[in-house]
Amino acid sequence: MIKLKHILIVAILTVVAYSCNRTGTGFVDNFDHAGQSIIDNDSLVKFLTNHYFDDAIDSIRPITAGQTALINDSRLSSQQVTEEEVDYTLYVFTNRVGTPDPVKGFPTVMDSVMTKYKGYYLSSSETQVFFEERNSVIWFTLNGVIRGWSHGFTNFKGGKNITNNGPITYENDGKGILIMPSGLAYRNTGNSAIPANTPLIFYIRLLDLIENTDHDNDGMASILEDPDGDGDPRNDDTDSDGVPNYFDTDDDGDGRLTKDEDTNGNGDLTDDDTDGDGIPNYLDEDN
């Protein structure tokens, strides 16, 4: 089962492209992302003020006769996200959190999720413009998708697999809407289906997840390979070899695999410090 889990993770990583990662490419982006963040949030607040969630059709609709605006709906929450030193507000509408069976927790930004979704971009006239739908299940690793997804999915849990000789089916899965500024999506570049600087709206279902994803199979969950403690393991590269720790089987570049640096054999890499310098062996090339 463990081998299958890691095979699945590798398969996911081979088909999912990393988003917004320009470190070391020589690319200089002079676009005012902080200013665009303010513009997008103003647009989103206006949209949330002028629209409501219609439970009868399971969709966001314009207010016509005194319905409760999304901005005042108790099911809407906001989440503060900082990316590349710019602050963004991500809005999350929760239809249901999800009741996983067997019991699992919430995914982290490094875990893998099984989902279905429908995507829209928000036009200047506050219209939801459809651009993509996935009706069959698909796996994504949350460190390799747009950041609005990475953070948004952490608010939901999975459900119970009730598949019986047919399509993969879940019940009581996480269900909601992710409403995000362009800075947490395709930014000032857009893509073939989405204009640049456009907020996005995703109707999502979280069916299942792999907890404590370990991308490099070194014995430490990827979310914990974050020595600088900023919550983003993507920017931690202890041995400066161009491979972040969560993908690097030898984090400190000392020629010894990270998983073999558990000298006391208790399964915890963080408390092994042979030379007593305050740096655990797996991050210390001179131990």
Side-chain angles (χ1 to χ4, degrees), residues 117-137:
Y117 65 91
K118 182 182 292 187
Y120 298 83
Y121 67 80
L122 185 62
S123 73
S124 57
S125 61
E126 296 187 42
T127 301
Q128 299 176 80
V129 181
F130 170 80
F131 66 85
E132 185 178 14
E133 182 172 13
R134 181 78 186 203
N135 283 317
S136 57
V137 299

Side-chain angles (χ1 to χ4, degrees), residues 83-197:
E83 285 291 321
E84 299 184 14
E85 300 182 347
V86 178
D87 296 328
Y88 299 98
T89 300
L90 169 67
Y91 295 94
V92 180
F93 186 88
T94 304
N95 297 94
R96 60 175 178 258
V97 172
T99 308
D101 182 12
V103 176
K104 295 181 180 180
F106 294 93
T108 73
V109 295
M110 302 299 290
D111 285 334
S112 301
V113 298
M114 179 193 283
T115 181
K116 296 180 180 181
Y117 65 91
K118 182 182 292 187
Y120 298 83
Y121 67 80
L122 185 62
S123 73
S124 57
S125 61
E126 296 187 42
T127 301
Q128 299 176 80
V129 181
F130 170 80
F131 66 85
E132 185 178 14
E133 182 172 13
R134 181 78 186 203
N135 283 317
S136 57
V137 299
I138 186 170
W139 281 95
F140 286 104
T141 178
L142 291 179
N143 64 292
V145 292
I146 57 175
R147 299 305 282 169
W149 270 40
S150 302
H151 293 279
F153 270 88
T154 65
N155 296 278
F156 298 90
K157 296 182 179 182
K160 178 181 180 180
N161 190 337
I162 57 171
T163 304
N164 185 17
N165 297 322
I168 297 175
T169 305
Y170 281 74
E171 65 179 8
N172 300 322
D173 48 289
K175 180 180 179 182
I177 308 171
L178 308 180
I179 305 168
M180 65 191 68
S182 61
L184 296 180
Y186 296 100
R187 298 161 64 88
N188 57 316
T189 57
N191 64 26
S192 59
I194 303 168
N197 302 316

Side-chain angles (χ1 to χ4, degrees), residues 206-271:
L206 174 53
L207 306 174
D208 206 346
L209 66 120
I210 297 175
E211 293 184 293
N212 301 313
T213 299
D214 181 0
H215 290 86
D216 55 7
N217 196 21
D218 66 355
M220 179 171 285
S222 295
I223 190 63
L224 300 179
E225 300 214 50
D226 180 30
D228 65 6
D230 69 349
D232 187 1
R234 299 175 308 161
N235 60 21
D236 294 273
D237 179 12
T238 299
D239 57 6
S240 301
D241 63 353
V243 181
N245 290 359
Y246 77 91
F247 252 155
D248 193 345
T249 57
D250 179 10
D251 292 341
D252 55 7
D254 65 355
R256 187 177 186 184
L257 295 178
T258 296
K259 65 182 180 180
D260 294 332
E261 302 219 44
D262 179 19
T263 54
N264 61 20
N266 69 349
D268 183 359
L269 290 167
T270 64
D271 65 359

Side-chain angles (χ1 to χ4, degrees), residues 6-73:
H6 293 303
I7 290 171
L8 173 61
I9 293 170
V10 171
I12 294 168
L13 292 172
T14 61
V15 298
V16 178
Y18 285 89
S19 62
C20 304
N21 183 8
R22 296 166 175 164
T23 303
T25 64
F27 178 81
V28 178
D29 186 356
N30 293 318
F31 185 79
D32 184 6
H33 292 285
Q36 187 63 44
S37 173
I38 295 172
I39 293 171
D40 284 352
N41 193 59
D42 287 345
S43 297
L44 290 175
V45 169
K46 183 179 178 182
F47 176 77
L48 296 171
T49 301
N50 294 332
H51 290 74
Y52 75 104
F53 184 77
D54 189 334
D55 290 276
I57 61 173
D58 201 23
S59 183
I60 295 173
R61 303 293 296 170
I63 292 174
T64 57
Q67 296 93 346
T68 299
L70 282 167
I71 198 76
N72 297 320
D73 195 314

